[in-house]
Amino acid sequence: CFIVEKKRHFIAAMKGNRLVALSLEDKRKGRFQAISALELPEGQAVRGWLKGFGKEVLFVRRVFINKDGTRGELNLVCSDLGLEGGQVAALYQKRWKAEEFHKSLKSNAALGASPTRRVRTQSNHVFMSICTVFKLECLKIKYHINHFALKTRLRISASTLAFNLLRSGAGA
């Protein structure tokens, strides 16, 4: 609501249990359904209403095949009624890289786990978290594996090295 009140538009992914109505009559009668239960045409924009949001929006379903062969669905919602389904998906795809960056900052670089209290140390922690993700990105390009796989390999290597040092007696 805040975004639309500021005369801006949003595009967001929705969980499958989010309730929607595809007609104004269904909305008025309170007949909402989970977005995952609807037969939406793949890649096409369909107008409707989100439960709890007063304005009409667009729904776009993207279907894709995961690396393991399973079928995946991405349900998008957009407040700009002038867009087509392909445009909504393309705009969402552009911001996906930023989502991956933020997830890696939180999960792999412990951005949110800073025990610091002072502005200077907090700033240092944020800077070092960003540096860590940058280094992971460089390694990702070099070794063709994602940040999470890299972090796992680094942990295994560090644990193996520490265990070998303990076993040889050099760590004592």
Side-chain angles (χ1 to χ4, degrees), residues 29-129:
K29 292 184 178 181
R31 292 189 298 217
F32 290 91
Q33 299 178 56
I35 187 78
S36 60
L38 299 175
E39 294 293 326
L40 296 177
E42 200 271 327
Q44 294 181 18
V46 176
R47 288 178 176 230
W49 288 265
L50 282 171
K51 186 172 186 175
F53 185 70
K55 299 195 183 291
E56 189 175 24
V57 292
L58 295 177
F59 301 114
V60 178
R61 177 169 288 159
R62 297 293 302 210
V63 178
F64 52 91
I65 304 300
N66 294 313
K67 288 181 183 176
D68 64 358
T70 59
R71 182 178 183 269
E73 288 184 0
L74 175 66
N75 294 303
L76 301 173
V77 60
C78 176
S79 63
D80 188 350
L81 301 177
L83 296 178
E84 296 177 6
Q87 293 171 309
V88 171
L91 287 169
Y92 184 78
Q93 186 65 35
K94 279 184 180 180
R95 69 175 271 266
W96 185 248
K97 290 292 179 191
E99 295 291 334
E100 288 177 345
F101 175 74
H102 286 108
K103 182 173 183 176
S104 194
L105 267 175
K106 289 169 58 181
S107 300
N108 296 322
L111 180 65
S114 173
T116 59
R117 300 255 189 257
R118 295 197 166 91
V119 173
R120 173 82 180 210
T121 52
Q122 289 171 348
S123 298
N124 288 342
H125 182 78
V126 169
F127 177 75
M128 292 311 296
S129 294

